Amino acid sequence: MKLAIVTLLAGSAAAFQAPLMAVKAKKSFKKTKAAAPKQSSAGSPSADAWAAGSTSVALPWATAPATLDGSMLGDVGFDPLGFSTVPVGPWFNGFEGRNGKIGDLTWYREAELIHGRISQLAVVGFISPGLFGTLPGNEWTGLNAYSNTNPIEAFSQVPGLALLQIFLFASFLEVKRIGIIREEGANYTPGDLRIGQTGWNPFGLSYSPEEYQEKRLQELKHSRLAMLGVFGLWAQSLASGQGIVDQIGVAFIAPEYSSKAGYFLPAGI
């Protein structure tokens, strides 16, 4: 009798458990199907970009990664160190930081333009004091506070408040730039600070789309040249201790010994 009761209870429990197990099995099957792994490349994003690369226009003997496809203005395939293949976060979509994915070149183009514009101003700053003179000093700042035409030495000679003014003005522009980026998000055009044809336009600039693209390319080329040039100006001023304009005049003067025949020959010949 007891055995019959146990058998009956077991059968009843099995009758209720079977449908439940079936439901669980279906749910488990659905979860497994939804979580199926996606197919991915065997290599890293950087390796894939180099593997799919092509010949560089700027360096014909080198390979340009596939991230430089020539679609961006000024792209000539110059990336020997592979910066464009480094995973970068969505800088223009909320400042989330790195996310392990290679995005477009917008972040790099923004950095290139900002550094290029600063370099262009720096080149003017290296040359203009020697050409047009320096600002006058006074008893409070010192009569010779701005008289040095060598920017390397002038940096430690000018009053601290003068440097503070430059720092505060640069900080204002940087905060404004970041605000524009966060406002426009993915629609932001690198380097567009709403000055000129796209915003505040004191000179009344009005270019056609083709002319505007040409002007943007000219700025990009000038920026790249200035970044190289300002490094040379800095190195030369640091090595010579003189202003750039002071050195230009001396560079075109023939040394005295050049007019002496036999200067490089041994004495007595």
Side-chain angles (χ1 to χ4, degrees), residues 55-59 63-65 68 74-80:
T55 303
S56 171
V57 177
L59 305 174
T63 300
L68 301 181
D75 177 12
V76 289
F78 182 83
D79 190 14

Side-chain angles (χ1 to χ4, degrees), residues 38 56 136 138-139 170 176 193 196 268:
K38 297 180 181 180
S56 171
N138 52 50
E139 294 181 359
K176 182 178 180 181
L193 301 181

Side-chain angles (χ1 to χ4, degrees), residues 142-232:
L143 297 178
N144 297 322
Y146 306 104
S147 61
N148 202 324
T149 58
N150 182 359
I152 305 298
E153 297 178 357
F155 185 80
S156 59
Q157 183 177 333
V158 298
L161 290 178
L163 298 177
L164 180 62
Q165 292 179 37
I166 298 175
F167 173 78
L168 292 177
F169 181 68
S171 299
F172 166 75
L173 294 179
E174 188 68 6
V175 170
K176 182 178 180 181
R177 181 179 71 90
I178 295 176
I180 295 174
I181 293 174
R182 302 192 71 167
E183 179 182 341
E184 298 191 8
N187 297 323
Y188 176 72
T189 300
D192 185 6
L193 301 181
R194 299 175 182 173
I195 299 176
Q197 187 165 322
T198 59
W200 182 56
N201 192 3
F203 298 104
L205 303 177
S206 179
Y207 298 114
S208 65
E210 294 77 13
E211 292 174 336
Y212 186 64
Q213 286 295 95
E214 179 65 23
K215 295 300 179 182
R216 291 182 59 203
L217 182 60
Q218 290 176 2
E219 182 193 21
L220 188 61
K221 291 181 178 181
H222 293 158
S223 296
R224 292 169 177 174
L225 180 61
M227 285 188 282
L228 293 175
V230 74
F231 177 77

Side-chain angles (χ1 to χ4, degrees), residues 7-154:
T7 304
L8 181 62
L9 293 175
S12 300
F16 284 102
Q17 288 291 335
L20 183 61
M21 291 175 63
V23 172
K24 288 183 177 180
K26 290 181 180 180
K27 289 183 178 180
S28 177
F29 174 75
K30 289 181 179 179
K31 288 183 179 179
T32 303
K33 185 176 181 181
K38 297 180 181 180
Q39 295 182 352
S40 59
S41 175
S44 65
S46 178
D48 294 341
W50 283 110
S54 58
T55 303
S56 171
V57 177
L59 305 174
W61 61 87
T63 300
T67 48
L68 301 181
D69 57 2
S71 59
M72 177 170 276
L73 184 69
D75 177 12
V76 289
F78 182 83
D79 190 14
L81 299 181
F83 287 121
S84 64
T85 67
V86 178
V88 187
W91 175 268
F92 296 104
N93 295 323
F95 294 81
E96 291 90 347
R98 296 178 180 271
N99 60 1
K101 297 180 181 179
I102 298 178
D104 56 24
L105 302 177
T106 308
W107 190 90
Y108 294 103
R109 175 52 52 83
E110 176 76 6
E112 182 180 26
L113 284 172
I114 296 302
H115 286 89
R117 290 168 178 173
I118 295 174
S119 297
Q120 291 180 76
L121 291 174
V123 169
V124 174
F126 265 91
I127 298 176
S128 59
L131 292 177
F132 307 107
T134 58
L135 296 175
N138 52 50
E139 294 181 359
W140 182 69
T141 61
L143 297 178
N144 297 322
Y146 306 104
S147 61
N148 202 324
T149 58
N150 182 359
I152 305 298
E153 297 178 357

